[in-house]
Amino acid sequence: MKKYVFPLSLISIIFLCAGCPESFIEPDSKLIIMNNSDKKIIFFDQFNSPKDTLLSNFPFSLTLENTNSRIIEPNSSATFPGSYKGILNDYQDDILMLYLFSSDTIEQVSWERIVDEYLILRRYDLTLEDLEDVNWTITYP
């Protein structure tokens, strides 16, 4: 059994290191979210056509665990690199939909209720031109 450990480990490492480079899109811009409120907020972005705006169309339920890197502390800002320019240039009918949630809501309320009652703090529907006009900085509130 021991003679198989090294070759299997080596093969596993090779597969992990190889990855899928063609599926990675290089960030081309940085979105800055300024939280001027006294509460933690959570930011989630999604590219959609203006006709597709329901929370039920999210790819997954939001929880504190899967939004941990998207928390913005009170009276602070956070920068989120992404491929916003490229995607908005490639799909000109799409908009960047930026949702802001209270972290208390995500923590305490079921995702089904958040969807049903549309429990968001604010939603921004942004085109590439909108983002450039605000210098890639979104301020809440």
Side-chain angles (χ1 to χ4, degrees):
M1 183 67 173
K2 285 186 179 182
K3 67 179 181 179
Y4 296 112
V5 172
F6 179 73
L8 288 175
S9 297
L10 185 60
I11 291 170
S12 297
I13 290 171
I14 290 170
F15 279 114
L16 286 172
C17 292
C20 299
E22 67 275 357
S23 67
F24 179 75
I25 301 173
E26 192 70 33
D28 59 16
S29 45
K30 292 180 182 177
L31 186 61
I32 301 165
I33 311 289
M34 296 182 67
N35 178 9
N36 290 334
S37 75
D38 60 351
K39 306 233 184 242
K40 283 188 209 179
I41 62 173
I42 292 175
F43 132 84
F44 187 80
D45 58 340
Q46 184 170 333
F47 294 95
N48 275 336
S49 73
K51 297 175 251 165
D52 192 15
T53 61
L54 300 175
L55 290 180
S56 58
N57 293 326
F58 271 36
F60 51 85
S61 301
L62 300 186
T63 65
L64 281 182
E65 291 77 27
N66 66 20
T67 58
N68 193 29
S69 64
R70 294 171 169 262
I71 293 176
I72 306 161
E73 296 294 326
N75 299 303
S76 67
S77 65
T79 302
F80 301 95
S83 303
Y84 304 109
K85 284 183 187 179
I87 292 172
L88 289 171
N89 275 328
D90 291 345
Y91 303 99
Q92 295 189 4
D93 288 341
D94 278 8
I95 55 174
L96 173 64
M97 295 170 57
L98 177 65
Y99 294 87
L100 299 180
F101 298 88
S102 164
S103 68
D104 290 341
T105 300
I106 297 294
E107 180 178 16
Q108 299 168 10
V109 179
S110 73
W111 180 246
E112 291 76 22
R113 182 171 165 217
I114 293 170
V115 169
D116 290 344
E117 297 178 25
Y118 205 66
L119 299 177
I120 65 168
L121 295 173
R122 180 107 190 242
R123 186 183 92 203
Y124 300 87
D125 294 343
L126 304 160
T127 64
L128 180 57
E129 185 177 304
D130 295 333
L131 289 163
E132 290 171 344
D133 286 348
V134 296
N135 200 26
W136 295 89
T137 302
I138 304 300
T139 303
Y140 174 79

